[in-house]
Amino acid sequence: MTGRPAAGAVGSSGPAGPVGPSGPVGAVDVQPAPGATPPRVPLARRAAAEFLGTGVLVAVVVGSGIQATELSDDVGVQLLANSLATVFGLGVLILVLGPVSGAHFNPVVTLAEWWTARRGGPGVTAREVAAYVPAQVAGAIGGAVLADAMFGRALVTWSTHDRSAGHLLVGEVVATAGLVLVIFGLARAGRLAYAPVAVASYIGAAYWFTSSTSFANPAVTVGRAFSDTFAGIEPASVPGFVAMQLIGGVVGLVVVALVFGPRGDSSPS
């Protein structure tokens, strides 16, 4: 999520008010929507927000997974605890850091915004992509290490959780496409103010309706490989997940175009 939508994504705010991928929303005196990005936040601060947000998100995912397995042997209860913690954590992170970076926390969202910008909409530049994506990946790794440290585990233990099955890869395409549809659909509909609730709610639902439990995020996927816990993923499974997430991002943008039509057809005025 940067100066426009995000993985918890929201839009950017310029002199004329909040701006999403579809254009300006609101008037000069309207306060920016949650997650909207002020136009002059230095790139270093935005990258720091992406590092912090992605790191805390992974710490929430991995830490709650560790806690859940220590408190219950029931896999259903473990997944419920893990998904609830992620929903609440993600929603808060979007609200807090959205005004700084747009709260992407996700390379797929950042790349989707870059593509949107190339097509004539607001979005991130190649220079911003080059700052955001490494910050997201580094933050995700740091978050996994932090979670392990909090629970007294070895700081880095490669996950042995094999997630290479074909049906899991299909699940990642679906989960990521849905995430992109939610974020960019909200932007096209002029409803980015609802992004913190909508994006977090979607991720919580996707935990349960996708076979892969909805990683839907290349940076988070890499980070979760560094922890051999409930939420981990074997390093050998990471390339397949990331590839399917990128494909899902493309599918999501295609669906947005099909549902909302060419840019301008359903843009808020």
Side-chain angles (χ1 to χ4, degrees):
M1 318 170 197
T2 101
R4 329 6 164 177
V10 282
S12 71
S13 154
V19 176
S22 56
V25 181
V28 176
D29 59 347
V30 175
Q31 292 298 313
T37 306
R40 294 184 180 83
V41 176
L43 181 56
R45 282 175 51 198
R46 285 183 277 146
E50 287 296 301
F51 173 86
L52 176 63
T54 313
V56 173
L57 176 59
V58 172
V60 168
V61 172
V62 174
S64 63
I66 295 173
Q67 185 80 285
T69 56
E70 292 183 351
L71 294 175
S72 175
D73 294 326
D74 187 314
V75 176
V77 172
Q78 293 170 359
L79 186 60
L80 178 61
N82 191 217
S83 60
L84 284 175
T86 302
V87 166
F88 295 138
L90 178 58
V92 169
L93 286 169
I94 295 170
L95 280 170
V96 173
L97 296 176
V100 179
S101 70
H104 290 198
F105 314 148
N106 188 334
V108 167
V109 175
T110 300
L111 289 170
E113 275 208 7
W114 170 75
W115 177 254
T116 298
R118 292 189 68 215
R119 303 284 292 178
V124 292
T125 64
R127 176 171 174 265
E128 289 169 318
V129 171
Y132 269 50
V133 172
Q136 292 159 353
V137 174
I141 295 170
V145 171
L146 175 61
D148 283 336
M150 288 192 292
F151 287 90
R153 296 171 177 256
L155 297 186
V156 176
T157 305
W158 297 114
S159 176
T160 56
H161 194 157
D162 177 29
R163 298 181 188 262
S164 61
H167 66 282
L168 300 181
L169 300 180
V170 173
E172 278 304 287
V173 174
V174 173
T176 312
L179 176 62
V180 170
L181 174 60
V182 169
I183 293 167
F184 288 83
L186 285 172
R188 291 293 297 274
R191 296 186 175 181
L192 282 174
Y194 298 101
V197 172
V199 173
S201 297
Y202 171 78
I203 290 298
Y207 253 90
W208 291 90
F209 80 77
T210 64
S211 57
S212 62
T213 66
S214 184
F215 281 47
N217 185 328
V220 168
T221 301
V222 171
R224 288 167 68 165
F226 283 74
S227 180
D228 190 19
T229 57
F230 175 79
I233 176 172
E234 186 178 44
S237 299
V238 169
F241 260 48
V242 170
M244 293 304 104
Q245 289 158 0
L246 293 172
I247 292 172
V250 173
V251 171
L253 287 177
V254 170
V255 173
V256 170
L258 290 174
V259 171
F260 292 93
R263 181 168 302 282
D265 281 5
S266 59
S267 300
S269 58

